Amino acid sequence: MKVKEQLLTLSPYKPGKPIEEVKKEYNLETVVKLASNENPYGCSNRVKEAIYEELNHMALYPDGYSAELRTALAEYLHVKGEQLIFGNGSDEVIQIICRALLSPETNTVMATPTFPQYRHNAVIEGAEIREVPLRNGDHDLSAMLSAIDEQTTVVWVCSPNNPTGTYVKQKDLMEFIKQVPKHTLIVMDEAYYEYAAQEEDFPQTVDLLDEYENLIVLRTFSKAYGLASLRIGYGIANEALLQRIEPAREPFNTSRMAQKAAIEALKDQDFINECKRKNEDGLQQYYAFCEKNGLNYYPSYTNFVLIDFGQPGDEVFQFLLERGYIVRSGNALGFPTSVRITIGTKEQNEQIIQLLQEYVSKHKSFA
C-alpha cells in the first residue's frame, strides 16, 4: 500500500512519558509534569459543574455548528458569530487552513524555531516550506516579508511564540500586515493570548479583522482556561474567508462536553485573572534563579520559560526526569542547550528550581 511520499519524511507526534511510566521506571512516588504548558491550577469550578451535568447526554452527537458556544464567544469577543470557526484544539484549525490553502503548487512562510504543526501540516500537503530564523528570539518580520511571493498562500506568526515566549509588538505587526499581499493569509497564532494581552504594546488583532480580510487569529481554551484534555480551539476571521475554508472542517469535530465547558470557562474571568497573577509570580521565581546563576533566558509572556543552561538540553531533561520532574528538552525545539519549563504552582517551582540549582552548582564546579 502506497502512502504520500511526504509522510515518509515525518514522525508522529511523540508526547512526553506518562507520569505513571516515569514513576515505575525510576521508582518514584511523586512525579510532576511541567512539559506541555498546561494550567497547573486546572479549570474553573463552573466548568466542572457543566461537565458533570453533560454526562447525562453522552449518547448524543454534538452540535456541529457549535451554536451556543458560537453565540457566547461572539458576544465575548464583540464579533459576529459567522466570524468564528471551531476546532479540536487550535491544532485542528491549523490543519484546516493547510488543507484548504496549501498544495504542491504553493509555498508557506514561517519562523524557525516555532510551533512545529505549521511545518508538519505543510509537509503533508506537499507545499514548499520557507523558514526564516528567529532574530534574538523574535520573528524576523522583514525577512519573512522578503520570503513571500506570488505562490505564498499562508504566512504564520506565532505570538507569543512557542518555544521562546516572545511576542510581536503592535508597531512591528502593523508594518508587516500592511505589506503582506492580499493573496497571502496571515495566521496570527495566539494560543497564549490570555497571558500576554495586558501588555501595552501587545496587538489587539481582533480589532484588525474588518480592515484586513486576509487575517485569521487563532486562540484556544487549552492553556489559561485549563481545558487541554477537551480539545477546543477557534479561529476568528472575515466571514467570507471562513465560508471558503469551512468545508475542510469535519462535521462533529468538537464534543458537546467541550462546547459546554468552554461556555462556562468564558464566564469565569476571575479565575483567569488569578491564574495570570500566579503565573507572573512563577515567572519571577525562574528569572531570579537565572539571574543568580548568570543563565540566559527569554522574558516570557506565556506560562512557560526557555532557559539556556549551556549544557545539552537532553542532559538537563534526564537529570530532572530521574528526580520526578518532566520538562521539555530544547533539543527537540531548536535550542539544543536549553530546556522549556511550564510554570507550575509556587511549590512546584520552588522544588524544581532547587534541583536546577543543584545541577548548575555541580557543573560550575567542573568548569
Side-chain angles (χ1 to χ4, degrees):
M1 187 177 296
K2 189 174 182 180
V3 300
K4 288 181 176 180
E5 287 187 12
Q6 54 266 38
L7 287 177
L8 302 178
T9 69
L10 295 173
S11 299
Y13 177 76
K14 294 181 180 178
K17 284 189 176 184
I19 288 175
E20 291 306 316
E21 184 180 328
V22 174
K23 284 182 178 180
K24 184 177 179 180
E25 184 174 353
Y26 296 103
N27 194 27
L28 298 167
E29 291 186 8
T30 303
V31 171
V32 177
K33 182 186 174 193
L34 297 175
S36 300
N37 308 334
E38 297 146 330
N39 187 337
Y41 305 104
C43 62
S44 163
N45 286 329
R46 296 185 66 126
V47 169
K48 297 173 187 176
E49 293 168 7
I51 289 173
Y52 182 77
E53 292 177 11
E54 192 56 38
L55 293 175
N56 295 317
H57 306 293
M58 297 290 280
L60 302 178
Y61 278 104
D63 171 13
Y65 189 64
S66 306
E68 190 179 354
L69 173 58
R70 186 177 297 270
T71 298
L73 186 57
E75 182 178 337
Y76 178 76
L77 295 171
H78 306 293
V79 299
K80 295 187 293 184
E82 295 79 10
Q83 289 182 267
L84 296 168
I85 184 170
F86 294 95
N88 190 245
S90 56
D91 287 15
E92 192 193 18
V93 185
I94 292 168
Q95 184 183 57
I96 291 168
I97 291 168
C98 291
R99 191 175 184 184
L101 296 176
L102 297 182
S103 70
E105 292 74 38
T106 67
N107 69 69
T108 181
V109 174
M110 64 194 71
T112 185
T114 191
F115 187 53
Q117 289 304 298
Y118 314 145
R119 189 182 201 284
H120 185 92
N121 283 286
V123 169
I124 291 173
E125 300 304 330
E128 179 194 348
I129 299 163
R130 298 180 177 181
E131 295 179 299
V132 178
L134 296 175
R135 185 172 57 188
N136 299 321
D138 295 320
H139 283 60
D140 188 342
L141 295 180
S142 59
M144 290 174 71
L145 273 173
S146 297
I148 295 172
D149 63 19
E150 289 300 317
Q151 283 70 50
T152 307
T153 52
V154 184
V155 58
W156 306 88
V157 180
C158 187
S159 180
N161 186 47
N162 182 3
T164 56
T166 57
Y167 69 89
V168 176
K169 309 297 189 291
Q170 168 78 18
K171 179 177 178 293
D172 297 333
L173 180 66
M174 291 310 303
E175 290 178 1
F176 176 75
I177 289 179
K178 288 174 183 176
Q179 296 179 73
V180 173
K182 299 303 181 187
H183 68 266
T184 301
L185 178 65
I186 305 161
V187 182
M188 290 296 303
D189 187 349
E190 298 180 349
Y192 298 92
Y193 171 81
E194 286 76 17
Y195 294 107
Q198 73 278 3
E199 297 300 317
E200 187 175 336
D201 57 354
F202 187 85
Q204 296 306 312
T205 46
V206 173
D207 297 341
L208 304 175
L209 294 173
D210 288 338
E211 184 176 356
Y212 297 97
E213 296 183 2
N214 62 329
L215 173 66
I216 185 168
V217 180
L218 308 187
R219 293 182 187 167
T220 184
F221 287 95
S222 294
K223 303 304 179 185
Y225 286 99
L227 304 185
S229 69
L230 294 180
R231 309 307 302 126
I232 187 156
Y234 58 96
I236 323 150
N238 176 271
E239 180 181 351
L241 168 66
L242 295 186
Q243 284 180 342
R244 294 198 296 274
I245 71 172
E246 267 278 359
R249 181 182 65 83
E250 295 297 323
F252 300 111
N253 62 328
T254 61
S255 69
R256 287 180 58 100
M257 193 172 289
Q259 292 174 26
K260 291 288 186 181
I263 291 168
E264 293 305 314
L266 280 174
K267 295 176 183 177
D268 195 351
Q269 291 301 312
D270 286 343
F271 172 78
I272 297 299
N273 290 331
E274 181 65 9
C275 288
K276 284 159 58 177
R277 184 191 65 77
K278 291 177 178 177
N279 184 74
E280 181 57 36
D281 290 345
L283 283 168
Q284 294 301 325
Q285 288 178 268
Y286 286 97
Y287 295 165
F289 161 74
C290 290
E291 287 159 15
K292 173 185 174 183
N293 291 281
L295 300 177
N296 292 323
Y297 66 94
Y298 291 106
S300 176
Y301 299 89
T302 66
N303 64 339
F304 63 80
V305 61
L306 184 71
I307 302 174
D308 187 351
F309 286 89
Q311 300 290 331
D314 287 352
E315 182 182 299
V316 184
F317 164 84
Q318 188 64 31
F319 175 86
L320 293 172
L321 185 69
E322 293 172 5
R323 290 156 180 80
Y325 283 86
I326 307 173
V327 297
R328 191 75 191 274
S329 169
N331 194 45
L333 304 174
F335 292 89
T337 60
S338 297
V339 167
R340 192 190 69 190
I341 305 172
T342 302
I343 308 305
T345 64
K346 180 181 179 181
E347 293 74 21
Q348 289 170 342
N349 299 334
E350 287 174 347
Q351 290 161 6
I352 195 172
I353 286 172
Q354 185 175 353
L355 290 173
L356 290 170
Q357 185 62 63
E358 178 186 334
Y359 176 87
V360 170
S361 297
K362 176 183 175 183
H363 282 79
K364 277 184 178 177
S365 66
F366 293 148

